[in-house]
Amino acid sequence: MTRPVRPHRVVLGYSGLDGSKELKLSRFPDLDERERRLYQGLDSAAALLVDDRLVAAVQQERFSGTKFDHAFPREAIEYCLAHAGIEFADVDAVAHNFDYGRLRVLSQGEEYSRTRYETVYAPELQTRLLHRHFPRTAGRLTVQPVAHHRAHALSAAIPSGFQDALVVVLDGMGELHAVTVYAWRDGELSRLAALDYRSSLGLFYSLMTMHLGFWPNSDEYKVMALASSGDPARFRAAMSEAVVLGPDGTFSVPLLSLNRDPRARETFAASRERLRDMGCPALAPGARPEQVHLDVAAAGQERLEEAFLHLIKHWTARTGLRAVALAGGVALNCVAVGRLCESGLVDGVYVQPAAGDEGTAVGAALAFADPGRAAERYPAMTFLGPDVSATGEPSGSAYWNAPVPSGLGPRAAAALLAAGAIVGWAEGRLEFGPRALGHRSILADPRLRETRDRVNAAVKFREGFRPLAPAVKAESAADWFAVPGSANLRHMTVTVPVRPERRHLIPAVVHDDGSARVQSVHAEEVPGLWRIIDCFEHLTGVPVVMNTSLNVKGQPTARDGAEAYHTFVSSQLDVAFIGDTVHAKPEWEQRVRGVLEEIAADSRAVIR
């Protein structure tokens, strides 16, 4: 058998800091569940570039089942290589998303910092991990460290489509910095400014998340949801003290400087106490939020937006760059991004859809690519993971199922949605990043507010206040939503106002403040979901469906057909389309049979 021609260049990038959680828990074993979530190196993932084309990327959590998994991404790496038909012998470079080597000296002053550097952060540890998990790489491949914010920046700049842009990275922190601003001009990335952890909007928002009873590095979107129902005026003065705006677009978060010993830094103990002293009441984990907590969330969200716009306003004015590419966890604050799009400060905004640390696996690989070529060859959408048919569905299904005639699945799904079914939809390759964009989705009719309550309570098993997103045909987006010209809505990363005259028609996807986190669906990019919405519009007059990820609370999005089926069985989904098969719970079996028969009859009539 002739072996395929070897690619010219293959680069593997990955993220994550194996051992970071384990070290923290060994030193501080009595921490509560929220405090245990504060550590560096979450969201391990792998990404593969072949001749500067991104061909595969997937998070390790999709294999381990541990959300935000930080462990060395062995299974994710194996998938990327297998998908491309490549062995490690073909790999030219391996890149990692942190470079702590330059900070070794800064880690020597305190025993805990020294131990953390020697057991988790030191760059040479990544090469040892690679050789341990893949022994054939020993003696041939050395892992190349890439500065964390540079990896973030490349992951946003290259796929943005902008020739010239301001690239802004905002996260908890990288090796040292929490905010970095770059100029991207003709394929070159130049750093303009950087702020350290004392200016971290990511840590500030994680602190707010903990203060309001949620898990940091996980539940920040719950704070955004609460904020939409709160009044920021009540705690505006306190938040102005918490986040201080400075000259030249700078800002600081004095709260973060109060934690002076390792335990306090690992738990935000002094910061949380100071928030209470400032009159901002905390919320106990699991307790029901009261209006006062909604107001705290609203004030914190407002202050983050003010600091974010303060930074962008300065650097767009100084550089003349009117396009902005964003990455880092703060870039997933879709409300803040929406305000930027509406501000008039910019002409275009691109948010890296995998803006968290999983995206730095891509950025680390891109550090060894030709930027112009990589930009030309970057995939239009984020469907980079395993195919739904990777494992198939388990045999002996407990529920009725039937094959779906080719091409008729979207029409059948739309008919069932219009009849009130909650539908799982799994097709093609898995999305990379946190958003379900139409390949691993739970879909529902947005026309009744009760639909949101049912999906949250009975299907996703989560808090009733959590908003759900609308997916709209791209052709109809401007008719239903007030879309700024600068906004890119493809990846569900921007919150915009729902047009007032339309809000009563889609109440299940409208936040309390009249906004929605919209996905604009293009027929050429997500044809299956587009066809579902198009058929739903023919039936109801509404070109919008509710879209959320195909998982239940505490689990990652379903990786393949077997996991999609498990989600169907373990939740109150009514119907699931998985590849070319439809499954139905008993109370929906007859309806599904009828829909399939009707559609098949119509198709035969058209053919005749």
Side-chain angles (χ1 to χ4, degrees):
M1 180 176 176
T2 304
R3 192 176 180 199
V5 176
R6 185 186 185 280
H8 290 97
R9 184 161 180 78
V10 177
V11 181
L12 174 71
Y14 74 95
S15 60
L17 283 172
D18 195 286
S20 55
K21 176 182 179 180
E22 291 76 10
L23 174 65
K24 177 170 180 171
L25 296 188
S26 71
R27 288 301 181 92
F28 309 106
D30 58 337
L31 302 181
D32 67 32
E33 288 296 323
R34 294 175 303 150
E35 293 169 336
R36 293 181 179 201
R37 291 285 306 163
L38 289 168
Y39 57 90
Q40 186 76 292
L42 290 161
D43 296 320
S44 66
L48 189 70
L49 293 181
V50 177
D51 292 338
D52 294 328
R53 183 190 299 277
L54 179 62
V55 298
V58 65
Q59 296 108 292
Q60 178 63 18
E61 67 166 30
R62 306 295 209 248
F63 298 90
S64 68
T66 301
K67 290 197 76 172
F68 312 106
D69 199 347
H70 68 293
F72 182 83
R74 175 173 179 151
E75 289 89 347
I77 289 171
E78 289 174 338
Y79 158 73
C80 289
L81 295 174
H83 174 79
I86 283 173
E87 300 175 357
F88 260 112
D90 299 314
V91 175
D92 297 290
V94 181
H96 182 240
N97 71 324
F98 281 101
D99 183 3
Y100 273 99
R102 293 169 295 174
L103 301 182
R104 180 176 181 176
V105 174
L106 298 179
S107 302
Q108 301 307 301
E110 189 176 75
E111 190 274 335
Y112 180 64
S113 295
R114 288 198 302 275
T115 302
R116 185 169 55 189
Y117 181 86
E118 292 165 0
T119 60
V120 179
Y121 288 173
E124 58 269 22
L125 296 173
Q126 298 304 321
T127 296
R128 294 179 199 168
L129 282 167
L130 179 70
H131 294 171
R132 183 195 311 165
H133 287 278
F134 300 101
R136 292 186 178 182
T137 64
R140 198 183 80 80
L141 288 171
T142 300
V143 177
Q144 304 298 315
V146 176
H148 189 67
H149 275 205
R150 182 171 179 81
H152 267 310
L154 288 169
S155 80
I158 286 176
S160 71
F162 300 141
Q163 182 174 355
D164 300 319
L166 195 69
V167 181
V168 181
V169 178
L170 303 106
D171 61 4
M173 66 177 289
E175 298 86 357
L176 180 63
H177 298 125
V179 181
T180 310
V181 181
Y182 299 87
W184 170 255
R185 291 187 173 96
D186 297 323
E188 293 291 331
L189 198 62
S190 304
R191 195 172 83 174
L192 302 175
L195 305 175
D196 67 18
Y197 78 94
R198 293 168 294 184
S199 299
S200 177
L201 293 181
L203 292 181
F204 165 71
Y205 215 76
S206 292
L207 168 60
M208 294 297 300
T209 302
M210 287 188 75
H211 191 69
L212 291 169
F214 305 124
W215 286 25
N217 293 325
S218 172
D219 292 345
E220 282 75 6
Y221 50 88
K222 297 181 184 180
V223 179
M224 275 190 284
L226 291 180
S228 69
S229 302
D231 179 5
R234 187 172 183 177
F235 295 103
R236 186 170 286 144
M239 291 303 158
S240 294
E241 180 182 336
V243 179
V244 178
L245 306 187
D248 300 325
T250 62
F251 46 81
S252 62
V253 187
L255 286 175
L256 300 175
S257 300
L258 301 176
N259 305 298
R260 303 187 187 281
D261 61 81
R263 186 183 180 87
R265 287 194 291 271
E266 294 291 332
T267 61
F268 287 151
S271 301
R272 290 151 65 189
E273 183 63 33
R274 177 59 184 149
L275 271 177
R276 287 189 288 269
D277 292 343
M278 294 165 68
C280 299
L283 179 65
R288 183 178 182 133
E290 299 179 4
Q291 186 61 46
V292 66
H293 304 111
L294 275 57
D295 294 343
V296 170
Q301 173 67 30
E302 179 185 75
R303 195 56 173 167
L304 178 140
E305 294 169 14
E306 290 170 348
F308 177 57
L309 292 177
H310 177 67
L311 175 78
I312 301 292
K313 181 178 181 179
H314 171 79
W315 286 105
T316 52
R318 180 165 172 174
T319 62
L321 295 169
R322 298 275 301 178
V324 176
L326 299 167
V330 178
L332 292 174
N333 191 303
C334 52
V335 180
V337 175
R339 278 203 61 189
L340 173 63
C341 292
E342 295 171 349
S343 68
L345 295 173
V346 295
D347 298 328
V349 176
Y350 174 81
V351 179
Q352 160 59 259
D357 276 9
E358 72 274 20
T360 59
V362 174
L366 288 172
F368 294 87
D370 175 86
R373 194 161 183 251
E376 291 174 2
R377 309 192 82 193
Y378 205 91
M381 289 295 288
T382 66
F383 305 122
L384 297 164
D387 193 87
V388 73
S389 61
T391 61
E393 302 155 57
S395 60
S397 171
Y399 295 101
W400 178 87
N401 63 85
V404 180
S406 178
L408 299 185
R411 185 175 168 187
L416 293 165
L417 289 171
I422 308 298
V423 175
W425 181 265
E427 68 165 329
R429 294 179 68 185
L430 172 68
E431 294 92 337
F432 180 57
R435 308 297 186 214
L437 300 174
H439 279 196
R440 302 292 187 277
S441 290
I442 292 172
L443 306 174
D445 186 341
R447 294 175 296 164
L448 295 174
R449 179 62 178 256
E450 293 78 9
T451 305
R452 187 185 87 170
D453 300 333
R454 185 183 165 208
V455 170
N456 275 332
V459 179
K460 302 281 278 187
F461 308 118
R462 63 187 196 179
E463 301 88 349
F465 65 81
R466 297 268 296 278
L468 293 163
V472 59
K473 287 170 57 178
E475 301 90 326
S476 304
D479 295 331
W480 287 74
F481 305 94
V483 183
S486 61
N488 181 338
L489 304 183
R490 284 173 166 81
H491 302 119
M492 209 184 287
T493 53
V494 185
T495 294
V496 299
V498 184
R499 293 200 178 277
E501 68 276 14
R502 303 284 196 180
R503 292 173 188 172
H504 70 286
L505 298 174
I506 51 171
V509 294
V510 180
H511 301 173
D512 289 347
D513 62 359
S515 67
R517 176 167 52 89
V518 180
Q519 178 192 1
S520 177
V521 182
H522 295 251
E524 67 276 14
E525 295 172 352
V526 198
L529 180 57
W530 188 92
R531 285 195 61 215
I532 291 172
I533 303 171
D534 185 57
C535 293
F536 185 79
E537 181 182 19
H538 282 294
L539 293 171
T540 67
V542 175
V544 179
V545 299
M546 177 192 291
N547 179 20
T548 187
S549 55
L550 185 58
N551 67 325
V552 296
K553 183 179 179 181
Q555 295 181 357
T557 300
R559 180 178 77 244
D560 51 29
E563 291 190 3
Y565 181 78
H566 176 74
T567 301
F568 168 68
V569 170
S570 60
S571 71
Q572 292 189 34
L573 277 174
D574 300 313
V575 180
F577 291 81
I578 304 174
D580 57 4
T581 303
V582 60
H583 303 260
K585 299 285 175 63
E587 58 271 27
W588 281 89
E589 178 182 338
Q590 291 304 316
R591 178 64 68 93
V592 176
R593 286 180 185 270
V595 165
L596 290 178
E597 290 170 0
E598 180 182 348
I599 291 173
D602 287 349
S603 298
R604 288 193 295 271
V606 170
I607 292 173
R608 292 193 190 101

